[in-house]
Amino acid sequence: MNKTYIWIILFIFTLLSPFAGTVSLDFNTIFEANSLSQRIFLELRLPRILLAFVVGGTLALAGLLFQTLFRNSLMTPFTLGVSGGAVLGAGISIKLGLTLVFGLSAVSLFGFLGAFSTVILLIVLSRYLKKAEQESLLLLGIALSFFYTSALMVIFYLSSFTETATIMRFTMGSLSIVGYKSLLTISIFSALFLTLLYLKRFELQLLSISDEQAALKGVNTKRLTYLFLGVSSLAIGVLVSLTGPIGFIGLIIPHMVRKIYQKPVSTLIFPVFFMGGFFLLACDTLTRLISTGSEIPIGVVTALIGGPFFIYLIIAKQKY
Amino acid sequence: MRVSNLYIAYDKTMILKNINVDIKQHLCILGSNGSGKSTLAKALCGLLPYEGSIQIDNYELFSIPAIERAKKIAYIPSKMESFEQFTTVEEFVLLGRYPYKASFKNYSILDKEIVKEILAELSISNLVSFRLHELSSGQQQLVLIAQALAQKSNILIFDEPTYNLDPKNTTLFVQELKKLRNSFITILITHDIQLASYFNDPVLFLHDKKATLYEKNFFKIEQLSKAYGVNFKENSSFFELDYE
């Protein structure tokens, strides 16, 4: 598909986005100070639009990084069990009835710890794998995911009805926020991640061939890989802890951008970030357009679109 | 390049023991399967830890920063691997200029000029905007060489260069290698005795974790039989070896 069309479609959704929702905005009063429309726009819609954009961009970028770094088109922080870790962490904190730890939301903190410790665990476990066995890393991730799911089942089993509902809600992922605090937190880590990837884009391109080739050209591969994994999991950990897991963006977007741009990874950093951002924004707009009464969780929508795409990828065995 | 008392271990097993060789001119590394040829090649590029000494221009290899090392020594793998099939030949060869690139910046116009010259030298200018997956094995080999030449290093290490090539492409490769030998020190690692004997360089033969250096006469049939432990004379109808 022509990339111009894709950008135009996404742009239209972006323009529609502020006006989609259970309360319709009156365009005429939006610029009137303290009108209801303006307050909804500034306090609910705008932060949500920005959040969808930053979250989508960051998830897509993390997918691009993992796919390139491990040279496997199915690798994303989510297929590696990172989101599973976050959900389990959040589940534990809800079950324990924790609300605030050190002044931070307990769900967020535990979610972050779950995601981050999964990455650390994967790094440690991958040291026992031989270099060529990138596939095994994926299997490790899948094994971890199953383990987390089962552990979560145990928590469900032990939980009351309300606790279960709260955990379920978290696992579906959500972009509903009020105000700018969590947006700011996510943005800081996302900006750090984006900057790192952009500055190291040529090193990443060399790593996409092989660790050996990158080392032969003078890249300190070990240090750089750890830096990439550290910063990306920090960003993903913070993000998942605040929004819950929103799957498939990291898988679909890098593939789409590769296919329509047909360029090496060093030139794809910004296109992937923007495409991911606008794509999640479009999905979010869609959920608000079709929702009546209560909203469909965003994670459900991306998974509904992503699932079939994932199957298509496996069957088509596209090699990018 | 001078190698002395070199010991290499991999996964706690000793692979190669006490290797001594002074590489002033071309060298060929031969040996049977699993004798450690590729391990030695990796060590010579600075990819593996080692004991003993590998010196380039009187500097110990591990003390040279990776970027500087890439300017002194280039390695050509036997096969092109890339996750990114959409990379063009120009973009791929440009990666050889990485050691010269300013940090965080894009490749310069000079880098692009150098790539153009190298592609012209190898007579593959026509491939410049081809994507990697559109290339034949022979063309891939030349593109890999182009990338290594872009490093502007003095030493070229070829790891099983003819492994994936048919007879026609092997011949084309040999012609190219012949030209390159005038301006570079080449280290050729191969199974292909025919290829090795054609150039008749000193041979470092790896066997049983040890290395023996044959300055000349390695390709006499008695010597070959002794080194490989196979009687090539009896099998001479199979091994058409007549390079004496």
Side-chain angles (χ1 to χ4, degrees):
Chain A
M1 213 190 313
N2 192 318
K3 59 186 170 206
T4 324
Y5 290 133
I6 295 180
W7 287 116
I8 289 172
I9 293 169
L10 292 174
F11 185 68
I12 292 170
F13 270 104
T14 309
L15 288 182
L16 273 178
S17 187
F19 304 100
T22 36
V23 180
S24 53
L25 286 191
D26 183 359
F27 192 76
N28 296 321
T29 59
I30 219 169
F31 299 104
E32 271 171 37
N34 278 326
S35 66
L36 181 66
S37 287
Q38 192 186 44
R39 286 192 60 200
I40 290 177
F41 178 74
L42 286 180
E43 284 167 32
L44 292 174
R45 301 282 160 83
L46 190 62
R48 183 167 174 154
I49 288 169
L50 294 173
L51 183 74
F53 183 77
V54 175
V55 167
T58 309
L59 289 173
L61 212 53
L64 180 74
L65 173 68
F66 275 59
Q67 288 171 11
T68 314
L69 209 52
F70 298 113
R71 296 173 286 277
N72 184 319
S73 47
L74 300 182
M75 293 272 193
T76 68
F78 286 75
T79 42
L80 287 174
V82 178
S83 70
V87 172
L88 183 63
I92 291 172
S93 79
I94 292 166
K95 172 63 200 154
L96 293 178
L98 300 172
T99 46
L100 285 174
V101 182
F102 308 125
L104 293 164
S105 149
V107 177
S108 297
L109 188 68
F110 274 66
F112 171 73
L113 288 177
F116 202 69
S117 59
T118 306
V119 176
I120 305 294
L121 192 63
L122 282 171
I123 292 175
V124 173
L125 288 175
S126 70
R127 298 178 76 116
Y128 295 98
L129 298 176
K130 292 226 170 80
K131 260 185 197 164
E133 296 175 25
Q134 302 291 0
E135 296 281 326
S136 311
L137 190 62
L138 198 59
L139 291 176
L140 276 181
I142 293 167
L144 274 178
S145 300
F146 274 118
F147 176 78
Y148 290 147
T149 313
S150 306
L152 196 67
M153 290 299 163
V154 174
I155 293 176
F156 277 141
Y157 179 73
L158 298 172
S159 296
S160 69
F161 187 73
T162 29
E163 284 166 348
T164 308
T166 322
I167 299 171
M168 278 299 281
R169 185 67 217 190
F170 183 80
T171 62
M172 289 177 196
S174 162
L175 290 169
S176 6
I177 55 159
V178 181
Y180 293 88
K181 204 176 146 205
S182 25
L183 173 66
L184 187 70
T185 316
I186 292 180
S187 300
I188 290 169
F189 286 98
S190 297
L192 187 71
F193 180 35
L194 181 64
T195 313
L196 172 72
L197 231 56
Y198 183 71
L199 290 180
K200 295 284 176 191
R201 61 198 185 283
F202 293 108
E203 284 80 355
L204 186 61
Q205 194 186 353
L206 277 166
L207 280 169
S208 81
I209 301 173
S210 67
D211 283 16
E212 217 164 69
Q213 277 299 310
L216 284 166
K217 300 288 187 282
V219 179
N220 187 336
T221 50
K222 215 173 211 170
R223 203 177 61 191
L224 189 62
T225 306
Y226 286 149
L227 185 65
F228 276 146
L229 290 179
V231 173
S232 62
S233 54
L234 205 61
I236 292 296
V238 168
L239 189 155
V240 174
S241 71
L242 291 167
T243 65
I246 299 172
F248 291 104
I249 299 277
L251 184 78
I252 304 172
I253 301 300
H255 280 285
M256 255 173 66
V257 174
R258 274 204 190 93
K259 195 160 188 185
I260 57 182
Y261 277 78
Q262 309 218 341
K263 285 275 178 194
V265 67
S266 57
T267 54
L268 296 181
I269 309 290
F270 279 103
V272 164
F273 185 82
F274 280 94
M275 184 70 84
F278 284 123
F279 182 78
L280 189 61
L281 184 55
C283 287
D284 187 43
T285 311
L286 205 63
T287 62
R288 278 182 284 143
L289 280 176
I290 56 177
S291 297
T292 49
S294 73
E295 266 171 34
I296 303 171
I298 184 73
V300 175
V301 177
T302 56
L304 278 177
I305 299 173
F309 184 80
F310 198 66
I311 294 168
Y312 160 75
L313 263 185
I314 292 166
I315 290 172
K317 277 189 188 150
Q318 310 260 9
K319 269 185 111 184
Y320 305 130
Chain B
M1 193 175 200
R2 180 196 279 278
V3 177
S4 39
N5 287 326
L6 180 70
Y7 284 76
I8 308 165
Y10 196 74
D11 276 350
K12 289 175 190 157
T13 8
M14 189 64 74
I15 305 282
L16 291 165
K17 283 183 196 165
N18 198 14
I19 295 182
N20 293 284
V21 59
D22 195 358
I23 307 168
K24 286 193 192 117
Q25 267 310 314
H26 309 298
L27 178 74
C28 179
I29 300 177
L30 289 172
S32 35
N33 286 331
S35 58
K37 297 191 295 291
S38 289
T39 309
L40 182 58
K42 281 178 193 167
L44 294 179
C45 299
L47 292 182
L48 291 179
Y50 59 85
E51 274 179 45
S53 157
I54 302 174
Q55 289 191 333
I56 298 184
D57 305 338
N58 294 322
Y59 290 101
E60 192 58 37
L61 189 63
F62 70 78
S63 70
I64 306 173
I67 290 273
E68 295 306 315
R69 210 169 53 208
K71 296 176 187 172
K72 292 178 186 295
I73 194 156
Y75 171 89
I76 296 113
S78 57
K79 211 172 107 193
M80 181 181 277
E81 283 173 278
S82 183
F83 175 64
E84 304 224 293
Q85 295 297 324
F86 289 129
T87 307
T88 64
V89 166
E90 188 193 20
E91 287 158 346
F92 189 77
V93 176
L94 260 179
L95 295 176
R97 297 299 300 164
Y98 175 80
Y100 298 89
K101 189 178 74 66
S103 311
F104 311 142
K105 290 228 176 94
N106 210 329
Y107 293 98
S108 68
I109 298 167
L110 178 70
D111 290 327
K112 286 177 186 166
E113 278 303 314
I114 289 172
V115 167
K116 219 185 227 172
E117 278 169 30
I118 289 168
L119 292 180
E121 263 172 54
L122 294 172
S123 332
I124 48 172
S125 298
N126 57 321
L127 299 180
V128 67
S129 49
F130 274 50
R131 300 190 192 281
L132 298 183
H133 64 104
E134 296 166 337
L135 303 175
S136 70
S137 323
Q139 289 168 332
Q140 285 186 349
Q141 185 71 37
L142 290 173
V143 170
L144 284 171
I145 294 173
Q147 195 192 56
L149 293 185
Q151 281 173 249
K152 295 280 174 200
S153 61
N154 209 4
I155 303 171
L156 299 179
I157 300 182
F158 290 89
D159 194 354
E160 299 282 4
T162 54
Y163 190 71
N164 280 306
L165 302 183
D166 59 21
K168 182 190 160 199
N169 281 312
T170 304
T171 314
L172 292 175
F173 168 75
V174 168
Q175 283 167 3
E176 218 44 72
L177 185 56
K178 242 168 149 179
K179 275 188 247 159
L180 292 174
R181 285 162 62 92
N182 297 326
S183 20
F184 297 92
I185 293 179
T186 63
I187 299 176
L188 179 65
I189 296 161
T190 184
H191 270 308
D192 190 342
I193 307 181
Q194 216 172 346
L195 175 72
S197 62
Y198 177 75
F199 291 113
N200 209 6
D201 295 328
V203 168
L204 189 69
F205 187 79
L206 303 184
H207 181 66
D208 200 15
K209 296 181 184 174
K210 283 184 288 257
T212 323
L213 184 68
Y214 298 86
E215 291 287 351
K216 51 187 175 186
N217 291 338
F218 181 77
F219 298 101
K220 299 232 189 245
I221 209 148
E222 292 80 16
Q223 189 54 62
L224 268 175
S225 304
K226 211 173 126 195
Y228 278 94
V230 177
N231 193 338
F232 285 109
K233 214 164 207 169
E234 270 176 17
N235 296 308
S236 58
S237 57
F238 182 61
F239 283 99
E240 287 283 328
L241 281 165
D242 191 12
Y243 301 104
E244 298 187 11

